[in-house]
């Protein structure tokens, strides 16, 4: 799985910090962050450009439009599965 060089995928510690929570809300506005059980995020240039959030037994994926189709979706899924 090849990602753009400046992208890093990591597991998000919960609860997310305020600034990160704002970015998650932008990507996945329908997810109640208080219900997060796990999260994997894609970071580029100091900001969250993709997130896969596990909440209430379901998964929600959010990726910035400019980053779609660059492998983030699969990388986030893989990372969250590996960390489970």
């Amino acid at each position: 799985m090849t990602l753009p060089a400046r992208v890093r995928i990591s597991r998000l510690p919960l609860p997310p910090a305020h600034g990160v929570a704002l970015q998650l809300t932008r990507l996945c506005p329908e997810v109640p962050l208080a219900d997060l059980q796990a999260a994997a995020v894609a970071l580029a240039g100091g900001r969250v450009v993709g997130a896969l959030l596990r909440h209430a037994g379901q998964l929600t994926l959010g990726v910035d439009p400019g980053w779609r189709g660059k492998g983030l979706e699969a990388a986030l899924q893989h990372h969250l599965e590996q960390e489970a």
Side-chain angles (χ1 to χ4, degrees):
M1 168 175 348
T2 304
L3 291 172
R6 63 185 186 181
V7 175
R8 182 174 54 104
I9 305 289
S10 70
R11 182 79 178 252
L12 186 65
L14 299 178
H18 179 70
V20 173
L22 291 174
Q23 293 179 60
L24 293 176
T25 299
R26 177 183 51 82
L27 289 172
C28 304
E30 68 279 10
V31 175
L33 297 183
D35 294 342
L36 280 183
Q37 298 164 333
V41 294
L43 303 165
R47 61 184 273 255
V48 178
V49 295
L52 181 61
L53 310 176
R54 183 179 297 134
H55 58 98
Q58 59 185 350
L59 292 174
T60 300
L61 175 70
V63 177
D64 269 355
W67 288 93
R68 291 184 186 145
K70 297 184 190 239
L72 298 183
E73 298 87 345
L76 289 165
Q77 180 74 36
H78 178 75
H79 195 79
L80 200 58
E81 288 173 358
Q82 295 301 313
E83 296 288 324

